[in-house]
Amino acid sequence: MHMGALASAAATLPAGARRAIQSVAIGLSLTRIVVLAHWTSDVIAGFGLGAVLERLLRLWTGYPGHDPPRGKAR
């Protein structure tokens, strides 16, 4: 759940930082499958629940009012 929330929260960052953080979050999540610590379905469900929870907290707190436009990385 932590990695899903982190990847979702990275949406407010510039493109380069956003991609880096999302890549690390996905990579760390995949290691849980590779080392047989969790089933694939558990990792996907946890990642998704973390992202949904982060978005709900974002609505509840009002931060930010909107996601920045997603243009090309500079």
Side-chain angles (χ1 to χ4, degrees), residues 7-15 18 22 54-55 58 63-68 70:
S8 179
T12 61
L13 298 174
R18 179 178 64 240
Q22 289 174 340
E54 189 275 332
R55 293 298 170 136
R58 189 183 291 195
Y63 175 82
H66 64 284
D67 284 339
R70 296 180 184 227

Side-chain angles (χ1 to χ4, degrees), residues 4-73:
L6 178 67
S8 179
T12 61
L13 298 174
R18 179 178 64 240
R19 287 189 188 121
I21 289 173
Q22 289 174 340
S23 296
V24 167
I26 291 169
L28 284 172
S29 297
L30 290 175
T31 64
R32 305 305 296 162
I33 298 167
V34 172
V35 300
L36 302 175
H38 297 289
W39 292 98
T40 303
S41 59
D42 295 344
V43 172
I44 292 170
F47 200 90
L49 286 173
V52 168
L53 180 61
E54 189 275 332
R55 293 298 170 136
L56 289 173
L57 287 171
R58 189 183 291 195
L59 286 174
W60 185 45
T61 62
Y63 175 82
H66 64 284
D67 284 339
R70 296 180 184 227
K72 292 184 178 181

